[in-house]
Each structure stands twice: as structure tokens, then as C-alpha cells.
Amino acid sequence: MRRLLTPRALILFSATVAATVAVLFFLRRPRPAPVVATEPEEDTAAPWPPEPILGRPTEEDLARMRGEYVPPKPRRPLPRWAVAGIVLAVVAGLGQLFVYAVFDEPRIPAAPGYACAPPGCDFEKVDEFTWSVLSDADPGLVYESVPDDGFEPPPPLVVEPDADCVPSQGAPVVAAPAKRTTRLVNRQWRRIEAWLGENAPESRAALGAPARPRAIAEAEAVMGLRFPDELKASLLRHDGGLGVMLDHLMPVARIAETWRSLCASDGVDGIDPRDDWWDGRMIPIGEDGMGDHLIVDSVVGDVGDTDHEGTLAFEPGGVRIGSHLELLEKVADALERNEPLGWWRPRVVGGVLDWEP
């Protein structure tokens, strides 16, 4: 019977009863008597002496003046709309109390393996199905609990380390990027170098020298992954030094060092590596000095950013960037056309490239 009485069915039943009572009250209310036209009375002379302003005292007033007891007048009955409202409130309140009593009673199922005995809540390891704990206040009193029918405790939370942050260490393998990729990357770098030489000579001089292929291979071995060819060709042209939006591209040694630091901060494996704050398959390629990093997904190849507040996204500056080569191309376009790159517009201050919102 209790299974048939659901909260929704009970509320609908209460509402139906309340509506029926209200309709009956309003249908049975007395109707006003029809107005019968009366003949106009003849004008009569005003009584003399004239009526006092406050009216003449009634017999009850005279009795009160003489100090006699005057019984109070009977109170007028409540109008039908007020009675209907009270009935509605009572029905709704009783229905809600019934819901609380039947469906919302506090129930604390027994957790297999643990018990909590009043007073206090001292947890004690016991058997899996039935547990009992002796109260400190009354050693002879035993509290027992059996798991409720149908209650299944949630599975324990298993935290697994990020496998990408603990790769198997292999020997460094030097592998050159594809020649076509190298030509495309160098083309974009020539555009950036030419613009910096004419407009921001200090930033042009700050570009890093070409990275050693052996250093790139050693970083790949430490991180247990392969750099995309676009990133590898870019490092072989300039080992960091370029300001991109709020970040500065890092040299390869700093890339490996930052990767270790981020894995040490969050080395837990999430459900989706692209939705977690950090995953070991990401390659940090830039930093802003405040804990935020520009990254490249070593599997997909697109560019994203991760911040110190625990957010990982793949639209740096509000722009979707599919590869490191596309990043260089967008930077070159923004410099030559004086256009914003996402939220940031390039400008030169004292011979140094800067980006402002």
C-alpha cells in the first residue's frame, strides 16, 4: 500500500479534495434576494427638535450609563470564502504532514563495514553485513543496524596516478621534423622576424638561438612523448623568446622543467585528459609568470592554455588554434595587419613587443 502512495499522488489527491470543498462552498452560498421596486415616499417634514449629531442613545447605551450589565452582541459568522480558505489550508497542511511522516522520514542506512553509535559518532570497523557498537554511556546497551533493503553503498573512490606523468624512461632518439613542415614553420618565422626587426628590435634580439636536436630528444625522453613536428621545427628555429598574447614561448629545457612541476602539482588521472586541469600528455610551451601556461596537446596537436585556478581550455585568447604552425601564422598576421589575436592586440613599447586587451 505504501508503494502505491507516492508523494505526487498524495499531493494531487489533496489538491482535488481542496478544490472540491471550495467549489461546494461557493455553489451553496446564499444568493441575494431580488430587489423589489418600492413606491417613492411622500416628503414629510423633518422631526422637531432635530436629531443630535451623534445620534440618540439607545437602550443599551442608557443601561451602560446606569452601570448595568449589557451582554455582548453575538459575533457575525465568518463569510463562506474565509471558511473555504481555512479548509484549503488545513487540507494542504495535513497532506504535507502525511508526506513528511511517510516518505520523508529520516533514514540512515547502515554503511557496510562502519557504524556510528550515539552519543557521538565514533567509527569502528565491523563486519560487512551486520554491526553493533556498545555505547560509552551505557555499556549494556547495544545499537544494531542492518543495511536497508535495496541500499547499495557507493563504490569507493579510486584515485589513480596520471600514467602520462610517470612514463617509462627510454633512451633519447633524435628525429628531425618533416622537411615540408620545416619549410612552412620557417616561412612564418621569417615574417615574424622581419616585423620585429623593423618595429620591435629589442624583442627581435631576445629571440632564442636554435635549440639543439639532442636537447629536444632528451626532453621527449623525460616526458615520455613526441613533440609535434611543428613545435620541433619551431624550436630548431628559435628556442623560445617570443611573446604571444600574455605568454612567452619557453626554451626546450624550461619546457621539460615546467612539465615536471605541473605533474608534481596534479599527477592524478582524470576521466578526460582534455577536461582536467593538467594531464601529462600536454606540452607546456609558454608561461606568463603568474602560474598560467600555453600548452600543446601532444596527441591532437592543438594549442590551449591552463591557468593556476584549475581550468584547461583549448581556445587561448578566445581563438581556436589547431596547431603550433597555425599559432605562428596567426601571430604573423596580427603583427603585419595590426589586428588583434583573439582578445589581445600587439603594440610596441620602447622597442619591445607587448600585447594589450
Side-chain angles (χ1 to χ4, degrees):
M1 181 63 181
R2 179 174 171 179
R3 295 181 179 178
L4 298 177
L5 291 176
T6 61
R8 182 176 181 182
L10 187 59
I11 292 174
L12 291 177
F13 175 74
S14 301
T16 304
V17 172
T20 304
V21 172
V23 170
L24 291 177
F25 265 88
F26 280 100
L27 289 180
R28 297 187 60 183
R29 63 181 177 178
R31 298 182 179 179
V35 179
V36 180
T38 58
E39 297 181 358
E41 300 179 356
E42 297 180 358
D43 294 337
T44 57
W48 187 263
E51 188 77 15
I53 296 177
L54 298 179
R56 296 182 181 277
T58 62
E59 292 297 333
E60 294 180 356
D61 295 333
L62 294 175
R64 290 191 183 94
M65 293 178 186
R66 292 191 297 268
E68 300 176 0
Y69 173 74
V70 178
K73 294 181 179 180
R75 295 183 179 181
R76 296 177 57 187
L78 290 175
R80 293 181 178 272
W81 61 266
V83 176
I86 294 175
V87 172
L88 289 175
V90 171
V91 172
L94 292 177
Q96 192 63 45
L97 288 176
F98 188 75
V99 171
Y100 288 156
V102 176
F103 300 100
D104 296 338
E105 59 181 355
R107 300 169 63 193
I108 304 177
Y114 292 93
C116 180
C121 194
D122 299 328
F123 288 91
E124 182 176 324
K125 190 71 178 177
V126 292
D127 64 271
E128 183 177 3
F129 299 100
T130 306
W131 50 260
S132 62
V133 178
L134 294 178
S135 171
D136 295 336
D138 186 359
L141 184 61
V142 179
Y143 296 90
E144 293 187 355
S145 176
V146 178
D148 189 17
D149 294 339
F151 172 75
E152 296 181 1
L157 180 61
V158 178
V159 179
E160 297 181 356
D162 186 356
D164 294 324
C165 281
V166 285
S168 57
Q169 298 294 327
V173 177
V174 177
K179 294 182 178 180
R180 182 176 182 276
T181 301
T182 302
R183 288 195 301 269
L184 294 175
V185 169
N186 288 338
R187 181 185 304 170
Q188 302 306 322
W189 268 117
R190 283 193 295 269
R191 295 173 60 194
I192 296 172
E193 293 165 354
W195 189 93
L196 293 177
E198 295 179 4
N199 301 277
E202 296 292 334
S203 295
R204 175 66 179 87
L207 293 178
R212 295 182 300 106
R214 178 72 181 180
I216 297 176
E218 291 175 352
E220 290 178 326
V222 169
M223 300 165 64
L225 47 78
R226 292 296 179 186
F227 287 5
D229 277 4
E230 297 91 343
L231 175 59
K232 192 179 299 184
S234 179
L235 292 171
L236 291 174
R237 179 80 178 197
H238 289 291
D239 194 14
L242 176 65
V244 179
M245 294 180 282
L246 289 184
D247 299 281
H248 277 78
L249 299 184
M250 299 185 297
V252 63
R254 179 62 180 166
I255 289 176
E257 179 184 354
T258 303
W259 181 87
R260 288 196 194 96
S261 176
L262 293 174
C263 277
S265 300
D266 184 9
V268 178
D269 198 7
I271 299 176
D272 184 358
R274 291 173 63 88
D275 194 32
D276 199 2
W277 174 70
W278 173 252
D279 189 87
R281 83 181 202 186
M282 305 300 168
I283 305 173
I285 62 172
E287 60 182 349
D288 65 353
M290 297 181 292
D292 303 340
H293 296 87
L294 198 66
I295 63 172
V296 171
D297 189 338
S298 63
V299 176
V300 181
D302 54 349
V303 180
D305 57 3
T306 180
D307 59 28
H308 61 282
E309 296 180 353
T311 302
L312 175 64
F314 287 87
E315 289 187 358
V319 180
R320 182 72 178 171
I321 302 177
S323 65
H324 190 76
L325 174 60
E326 185 178 349
L327 174 65
L328 296 176
E329 182 179 1
K330 288 184 179 296
V331 170
D333 291 341
L335 296 178
E336 293 176 350
R337 303 171 186 174
N338 193 24
E339 295 178 349
L341 174 54
W343 302 325
W344 308 99
R345 179 183 294 274
R347 68 168 183 169
V348 177
V349 180
V352 178
L353 173 63
D354 192 12
W355 299 80
E356 63 180 8

